[in-house]
Each structure stands twice: as structure tokens, then as C-alpha cells.
Amino acid sequence: MSAIATLLPRLRAEHPLVHAVTNPVTQLFVADALNAVSARPIMATGIDEIAEISAGAAGLLINIGVPQSVEPYAAAVSARKGGQNASKGGGWVLDPVGVGASPLRDRIAASLLTSKPGPAIIRANAGEVLALAGQAGLTEGVDSLASAEEAAGVAKMLAEKHGSVVALTGATDFVVSGSRVVRLTGGDPMMARVTGMGCVASALCAAFLAVADDPFDAAVAALHLMSGAGDHATATTNGPGSFRTAFLDALHAAAA
């Protein structure tokens, strides 16, 4: 049975609470997407509560889309060691948005990569994967200047070094661990014109990770669902505004 066929019913049954420490630009989209697949989003970022919320949530996403400092992120990650998800190693997802675009993002991403517990899944585009591996100059703002195919080999080295699964997204997606690689096709170019699609992919990784026994399966299920929803959305729309709505509807239909 495929990863998505196994994990979607678990999402429906368990309704995991997912703490999405995410880009404020895309919070609503991320919350809507999590709700659409039967997860329960919470988006606490205040330093006085972030650790407590993180410890009590089944899933955690750290997205550095609008970074301020590493301290809130570090507090959320550290709380995973004794929280609800501690039995799964405190599994959490890192979305290193725009790493390589500024020294601040580079410092925060480097700190989170070596935190305890480290990220179970790193969801990133090609430029971000290359920047995490020290190959600067391939990110412009939050956009990649490289293709997923160009970064796939580097993703494997990154996965081996940090003991994480890398969910590498682009025109073609790759899920990579130290010993396994899955290549996924599908989706639609319109997805690149809707702000927050990467943030949603990372949030879905966190939702599936909350109910999965294997982070690799969680990442495969998330990217499979993203591409399938994109395929369905493009069949009935012709612009980014209507596409976003149709995409959310497709997520809901898949998880219904």
C-alpha cells in the first residue's frame, strides 16, 4: 500500500494538532490547508508560550520565512524532547525559506540543523538545499535559481549528514534519505505562481509526520498529495486566485 493510502486515513482518524511556526505572509493559507486534510493548526510564535505549545502538539513545522532570531525556533524544537511526539524522536519539519539569501537566514538554518532533536524532514527547494550544503549564490530572495534535478545528489549528502529526510520540491519532486530516493512528478506550473505553496508542502509534511511511523513515508505522502491536488485544481481554473481555492478544495476532497 502506498504511503498516502496508509497515512491519509490516519490523518482523518487522529486529527493531529500541528504547531506551524510559519511565515506570517502565508499563515492563513497554511491553516486552511491543514484544516482541509483534517489536521488542526495552531500558530503560536510568542516566546512566552511557544515551547509549551510545541511540547503539546503532535506535529511541528519551523518555517523561517520572516526570521527575527533563532531563540523562539530553538525553544520550540527543544520542547519536542519531552513532548507528545517524544516517542518518535521529537520529529519536526524544517523549512529553511530563503536560506542563502542573507547571513541571518544562514545562521538560523545552521543552528536548527544541528539542534537536538534535529529535523526529521527538511522541506526545501533546490536553491535552499544547495545553500544548506554550503553552495551559495543559487537563491534569489526565496526563489531557487537551480532545478531539483541539479540538487538531488546534494540532497542525499545533506540527508546522510544530518540523519534527516529531504523533501526537495520543484518541477519534479524528490524525497531523499541516506538510503532511499523517490522521484515524484505531477502538479502544475501554476503552483509556482501561488504564494505559499512551499509553506503548505512543509505543513503537510508536519501533519503526516505526526501520524507516520517513518519520516520518509510522511514526506512522500505530503508531496504526492500536493501534486495530486495541483493536477485536480488546474483542470477547473485558469489563474492563481481561483487555483488557490480549487487546490484547497482538492485537498479536502482527497482527505474526505
Side-chain angles (χ1 to χ4, degrees), residues 23-44:
N23 186 342
V25 175
T26 62
Q27 280 183 343
L28 179 59
F29 191 18
V30 168
D32 284 344
L34 288 171
N35 272 315
V37 298
S38 298
R40 294 177 293 131
I42 186 168
M43 296 177 169

Side-chain angles (χ1 to χ4, degrees), residues 41-144:
I42 186 168
M43 296 177 169
T45 58
I47 193 65
D48 292 334
E49 67 170 356
I50 194 169
E52 181 179 4
I53 297 296
S54 179
L60 173 66
L61 163 65
I62 300 292
N63 173 311
I64 66 169
V66 182
Q68 301 299 320
S69 68
V70 73
E71 284 77 16
Y73 305 135
V77 168
S78 181
R80 302 297 286 171
K81 290 183 288 187
Q84 176 175 327
N85 218 28
S87 64
K88 295 183 180 179
W92 61 282
V93 177
L94 172 63
D95 185 341
V97 178
V99 65
S102 75
L104 173 62
R105 291 173 193 264
D106 294 349
R107 289 194 301 270
I108 291 174
S111 177
L112 291 170
L113 276 176
T114 57
S115 62
K116 302 297 180 185
I121 299 172
I122 302 165
R123 205 296 307 165
N125 65 33
E128 290 160 351
V129 164
L130 294 170
L132 289 176
Q135 299 184 30
L138 292 164
T139 302
E140 184 174 73
V142 299
D143 296 320
S144 174

